[in-house]
Amino acid sequence: MSAPVTPSERPATDRPGPGRRARHPLVGGRRVADLVATIVLLAIDAGVALVAGWGIVFLSLGFGSCTAPGNRCDETLGGVVVYAGPVLVALVLALTVVFSVLRLTRRRLAWPVAVTGLVAVVVVFFGALLLVDSAITHGI
């Protein structure tokens, strides 16, 4: 039985250079497809987040009917939603980008993170829509 080969006995082509870790190169259809899909999904995420953020701001227009007779509005809840909603959308987008880039640099699948971020932005928008709708009561 032969003795185990130490790193110094390996050929120079098998050893990573000083200060470098051995990683799989970013080649192959699967890794390239993940990179392209993640970039495309992050661009879509940014567009959807921009539209959702502005959509939440425009939800404040619903409070124009508060002065009509018989209507009641919880302007405190509406104000919190209208101001905090776009911030929450931006936070979700920023976290999505950070975690996607971290997964890409670690050579792991990153497109599921981008899809999850897209779903989270949509959920935040519809949550804001439901909260604003519950803050406005139409009496007539």
Side-chain angles (χ1 to χ4, degrees):
M1 184 152 50
S2 64
V5 177
T6 62
S8 61
E9 295 173 354
R10 287 188 200 154
T13 57
D14 288 348
R15 287 182 282 164
R20 295 177 60 194
R21 287 189 263 164
R23 288 188 180 176
H24 299 288
L26 187 60
V27 294
R30 190 169 173 192
R31 297 225 185 260
V32 173
D34 177 48
L35 181 67
V36 170
T38 303
I39 291 171
V40 168
L41 284 169
L42 287 176
I44 292 170
D45 283 357
V48 170
L50 184 66
V51 169
W54 278 107
I56 292 172
V57 170
F58 285 131
L59 290 176
S60 66
L61 296 175
F63 290 96
S65 67
C66 293
T67 57
N71 290 355
R72 289 188 219 129
C73 298
D74 185 0
E75 293 180 6
T76 305
L77 175 62
V80 168
V81 170
V82 167
Y83 288 115
V87 173
L88 192 57
V89 166
L91 180 66
V92 167
L93 178 65
L95 289 174
T96 301
V97 170
V98 166
F99 283 116
S100 293
V101 169
L102 283 175
R103 287 189 65 89
L104 283 173
T105 57
R106 292 178 181 161
R107 306 239 194 291
R108 299 186 185 271
L109 283 179
W111 68 265
V113 175
V115 170
T116 304
L118 180 63
V119 170
V121 167
V122 171
V123 166
V124 168
F125 174 75
F126 282 111
L129 182 65
L130 288 174
L131 285 172
V132 167
D133 190 42
S134 69
I136 301 171
T137 305
H138 299 286
I140 295 178

